[in-house]
Amino acid sequence: MPDRATILYIEDDPSSRQLIQRTLTFAGYRVLVAPCGLDGIDFAKRELPDLILMDMDLPDLSGREVTTRLRGDTRFHDTPIVALTGQNQTGDRERAIAAGLTGYLNKPIDIEKLPAQVAYYLRGGKDVADEVMLRRAQADYNQEVVSRLESKIRELERSNAELRRLDKVKDAFIQLTAHELRTPLTLIYGYSRLIQESPTLNQLRAQSTEFGSFVDGLVESIERMARVINEILTMARIASGRVDLALTTLNLGDVAERAIHQYEVVARQRNLSMRFEAGQWRLAVRADAELIELALHNLLGNAIKYTPDGGLINLMCRINVSSVQISVQDSGIGIDLADQKSIFERFYTANDTQLHSTSKTAFRGGGLGLGLSITRGIIEAHGGRIWVESTGRDERKLPGSTFFIELPLQARAGTTLRPLIAESFDGSDAAAAGH
Ligand code: ADP
């Protein structure tokens, strides 16, 4: 027996765990415990114990299943795995041995004898079983595992269907609520704009600046609220798979310019330089102008939010043989590798939400975590893809991030999407010319 051998005891009953742990620790062993089969497998792989004691009635996997799973790993081929169990029907022992257990100790355990029994298995001792019974037990066990797997799959399918149903209910609820909020908000916005522009307010402004700024603040907040509601509605539309693209032949450069234009003021205020070479963008594509503009708007908005004042934002376009690649590059805080997939999911924000404000343009302002999933929905509805490249997040070194959008210029085989057709405005073949 090695010095201070490590024993892992997998058992869901806390009092049994405590009793065995105390007894074996007292006998000089290092004892680890796990409360269920899955944890037991993880512990065993991490700690590589010299012997495993196994309760057979675990809440998740059975003791036999855990053993079969461990025996499949070469590191556990020779590890003694011993059942500590109340199961003492005819054939239980054979079934356990058929599943790969080394020994079988029946409960109630004789505490006095346990250390010696453990030492026996540690020295290589094994229980033997009747060959014929063992073969039958093996066949029964295989059947049992397969039918348990089948019922688990059915159970998962049922709960999956239920989760999908609940997800739809939730989407419908969000959409309905956003709709209901938008209607009165439109009225509130209309009235507040009337007040803002009324001659009476102008007179009041002359008397007291305070009153005017109250109304300006009110209008600004309503506009922000409307933006959030619109974002939710667009997301709900995309999530429900009902993105009806209003396809037109559009000039990609014009769309990009419109998206950039909306941020010119804030870029100046925050001393951000935005690079955009109109020449690269001389391309007509069939796409939904409003949605493509929204996608670019979201990416530029993020680049602005996550780049400190004085930084650089580059909006570029490259035309390949069968696709157009748009990139939004910033010199901002960057994105951790671990977050680079999740940020495209709904309501995912990589930063501490405490830093979030609904500001769309302040450094580290943030939103609901919907912008990128909306953008992805738009791009995928056009048959394209979106991804990000960044070496990681570092608020001091500012590694920056580059978001890429790739839109196909021809329909791919097997897709039902309407194709995006490229043609240059001056009549020559844009793809071949490589603009
Ligand atoms: P939000 O409304 O929170 O900005 P988005 O879906 O637009 O939601 O973005 C999700 C998360 O991705 C953000 O919370 C942010 O952590 C990260 N992110 C997006 N764009 C950038 C960027 N250019 N630089 C750094 N982080 C970014």
Side-chain angles (χ1 to χ4, degrees):
M1 185 182 77
D3 265 330
R4 223 169 123 68
T6 299
I7 293 171
L8 171 64
Y9 181 29
I10 308 178
E11 163 71 78
D12 60 321
D13 175 45
S15 51
S16 298
R17 271 201 314 262
Q18 229 173 21
L19 176 68
I20 302 295
Q21 188 170 32
R22 219 177 280 156
T23 308
L24 292 177
T25 306
F26 189 71
Y29 295 107
R30 174 174 171 250
V31 185
L32 308 169
V33 289
C36 64
L38 290 173
D39 281 358
I41 292 171
D42 290 344
F43 276 35
K45 286 184 173 169
R46 204 170 56 226
E47 300 285 340
L48 301 178
D50 301 292
L51 179 140
I52 298 170
L53 289 174
M54 182 85 71
D55 176 29
M56 300 308 272
D57 292 312
L58 292 165
D60 47 1
L61 293 169
S62 74
R64 283 182 287 156
E65 287 163 343
V66 175
T67 306
T68 306
R69 181 76 187 85
L70 289 175
R71 290 289 185 224
D73 182 329
T74 49
R75 291 173 300 173
F76 298 101
H77 272 183
D78 302 319
T79 310
I81 304 181
V82 181
L84 267 194
T85 175
Q87 293 178 356
N88 52 11
Q89 307 278 321
T90 325
D92 281 344
R93 171 186 291 268
E94 284 71 20
R95 274 196 286 278
I97 293 172
L101 279 118
T102 317
Y104 202 81
L105 298 177
N106 267 123
K107 283 181 184 168
I109 297 298
D110 186 336
I111 291 303
E112 304 270 301
K113 286 190 190 152
L114 184 65
Q117 288 167 321
V118 164
Y120 165 74
Y121 292 115
L122 275 170
R123 281 196 307 269
K126 277 189 171 83
D127 286 10
V128 281
D130 177 78
E131 272 301 316
V132 179
M133 280 182 82
L134 207 56
R135 265 202 299 278
R136 190 168 337 126
Q138 182 76 61
D140 287 351
Y141 176 58
N142 290 348
Q143 272 305 319
E144 187 190 305
V145 170
V146 174
S147 62
R148 210 166 98 80
L149 191 67
E150 184 191 332
S151 77
K152 279 278 162 215
I153 291 172
R154 287 186 195 284
E155 202 179 301
L156 277 177
E157 275 174 350
R158 269 196 303 276
S159 46
N160 231 341
E162 178 61 6
L163 281 176
R164 272 200 294 267
R165 190 188 68 78
L166 288 174
D167 200 42
K168 276 203 181 125
V169 170
K170 181 209 70 200
D171 280 346
F173 172 75
I174 292 176
Q175 200 169 5
L176 203 77
T177 313
H179 254 299
E180 290 301 308
L181 287 174
R182 196 165 64 165
T183 316
L185 197 68
T186 312
L187 278 178
I188 298 170
Y189 181 62
Y191 287 130
S192 57
R193 292 282 296 157
L194 281 178
I195 296 171
Q196 198 181 30
E197 281 159 18
S198 75
T200 322
L201 185 71
N202 272 340
Q203 284 164 14
L204 281 172
R205 272 189 211 271
Q207 289 164 25
S208 137
T209 48
E210 210 182 28
F211 197 73
S213 67
F214 289 162
V215 177
D216 294 342
L218 193 72
V219 172
E220 228 171 79
S221 301
I222 297 167
E223 280 170 350
R224 203 185 298 163
M225 197 166 162
R227 270 200 305 270
V228 171
I229 290 178
N230 280 339
E231 214 172 54
I232 293 172
L233 282 171
T234 314
M235 190 60 242
R237 210 173 110 204
I238 287 168
S240 66
R242 282 183 288 113
V243 204
D244 305 319
L245 298 179
L247 293 176
T248 53
T249 303
L250 55 93
N251 180 339
L252 204 54
D254 288 349
V255 175
E257 232 162 332
R258 277 204 299 276
I260 283 245
H261 181 67
Q262 292 166 31
Y263 289 115
E264 266 165 8
V265 175
V266 69
R268 217 172 307 124
Q269 282 167 352
R270 293 200 33 221
N271 195 24
L272 294 164
S273 80
M274 294 223 269
R275 282 201 201 134
F276 168 72
E277 276 186 42
Q280 295 176 333
W281 295 76
R282 290 175 51 77
L283 176 75
V285 296
R286 263 189 89 67
D288 185 314
E290 206 178 298
L291 289 181
I292 296 289
E293 187 183 326
L294 178 61
L296 295 182
H297 178 88
N298 286 346
L299 294 186
L300 286 169
N302 279 348
I304 286 172
K305 278 193 291 191
Y306 300 107
T307 302
D309 293 4
L312 189 75
I313 292 159
N314 216 346
L315 179 61
M316 285 176 296
C317 177
R318 209 178 71 196
I319 301 159
N320 300 322
V321 180
S322 59
S323 63
V324 52
Q325 192 182 80
I326 297 169
S327 56
V328 180
Q329 182 186 31
D330 65 52
S331 63
I333 58 176
I335 303 169
D336 276 341
L337 296 180
D339 283 325
Q340 290 180 13
K341 272 214 157 66
S342 329
I343 52 170
F344 293 99
E345 282 160 24
R346 280 195 276 170
F347 301 111
Y348 188 92
T349 54
N351 302 324
D352 185 344
T353 43
Q354 297 218 308
L355 296 174
H356 274 230
S357 67
T358 47
S359 167
K360 288 280 165 195
T361 49
F363 177 48
R364 288 200 308 203
L368 296 173
L370 282 179
L372 284 179
S373 65
I374 290 177
T375 307
R376 182 177 70 172
I378 292 171
I379 300 308
E380 287 180 354
H382 282 85
R385 62 191 188 104
I386 180 168
W387 71 98
V388 65
E389 285 176 12
S390 173
T391 53
R393 182 177 148 155
D394 190 323
E395 302 210 6
R396 277 185 314 114
K397 291 191 185 144
L398 303 174
S401 317
T402 308
F403 282 81
F404 292 92
I405 288 177
E406 194 174 77
L407 290 170
L409 291 175
Q410 278 116 40
R412 280 169 302 160
T415 62
T416 50
L417 284 155
R418 302 266 296 277
L420 285 158
I421 304 158
E423 62 203 34
S424 77
F425 279 106
D426 57 14
S428 67
D429 182 350
H435 285 287

